[in-house]
Amino acid sequence: VQGLGLRDFLYFPTRLILLPHAYDGWAKSPGGLALFLGVPGVVVGGKRVRWLVAYAFLGGCCFFFFQRSARYLLPFIAPMMIVAAVAVCRLPRIHHQAFRYVPGLVLVAFGYALVLHMGAMYFKIPVVLGAQSRDEYLDGRVERYPVFQWVNRTMKNEDVVLLTLDPRSYYLHVPTYQNYEALKHLDGVPLDRQLAWLEERRITHLFYPRTYVEESHGLAHIGVAQLLEEWVSHPQHFRRIQTFHYPRTRGKGMELVEIYEIRYADEARPTPRRSMAADA
């Protein structure tokens, strides 16, 4: 997240609406109604409307400091659409000729947005109707999903805490540690202290999506990519137990994922059963 000054804070709602390419893209943009009719809705609305606005405002304030993608702000943008609807209902009471066209413009905007998003989500229809299984759908849509399945099958009975930089760790059913911001403070720290840091958090394995990490400029910028490379160069502490090399779920090229068992100096942890069928 960049730009934490007062000016950035005040202009954030406007930029989210008017510059969607910088905040998740046009397909995820909430559109201008939440802003252009939301503000008049506050004026002409009552007490309940102000509670909705307060909820949306406080939620947006919190997310401003750590996550500015439109999709994550949706729970706070949606109430503003209700406020915009209040404006549509009450503004015509103001006797001005221009306000007669507001309901028609809103209808066109809603219709356009519904058609656009129905077209964008056509691939979800088979799984919603039961014509496609959950695993088949996720296997074709979620990067590294076959690796997640292998981990869930192989490590479910192990005392495992998995360190992962994969943003889709929701699909992992074992305990995970995914605070990569904490890892950047280990840069330049001696290896024994790094291992002590990992052991304090009871981390037993490293889920290393190598292709994803190598292509993530943000992780390289904060030094996390270099840190992982340094770790795996010490096989006495990071022993590779599984490698996945398979075509990308979406796009061209191959995906490389490696899983390491972390061995500390004073103990040898049990290794989960290796599944040869998982190799590609």
Side-chain angles (χ1 to χ4, degrees), residues 40-54:
V42 177
V43 178
V44 300
K47 182 178 180 180
R48 293 181 179 179
V49 166
R50 296 187 181 95
W51 276 112
L52 287 176
V53 174

Side-chain angles (χ1 to χ4, degrees), residues 81-160:
M81 301 306 295
I82 300 175
V83 178
V86 171
V88 173
C89 293
R90 296 188 177 181
L91 281 176
R93 299 179 184 177
I94 302 175
H95 299 290
H96 194 285
Q97 186 175 2
F99 291 118
R100 294 189 303 172
Y101 303 102
V102 171
L105 293 174
V106 171
L107 183 62
V108 171
F110 279 178
Y112 171 78
L114 286 173
V115 172
L116 175 66
H117 286 87
M118 286 176 64
M121 294 190 297
Y122 72 94
F123 56 87
K124 297 184 179 183
I125 296 176
V127 69
V128 170
L129 298 179
Q132 185 182 26
S133 71
R134 177 182 184 272
D135 284 339
E136 289 174 342
Y137 170 78
L138 294 176
D139 190 41
R141 297 295 304 176
V142 177
E143 287 86 348
R144 296 169 291 281
Y145 187 70
V147 187
F148 300 150
Q149 289 181 302
W150 182 88
V151 170
N152 294 335
R153 290 194 309 268
T154 307
M155 298 183 174
K156 62 181 179 180
N157 296 323
E158 301 287 341
D159 185 17
V160 169

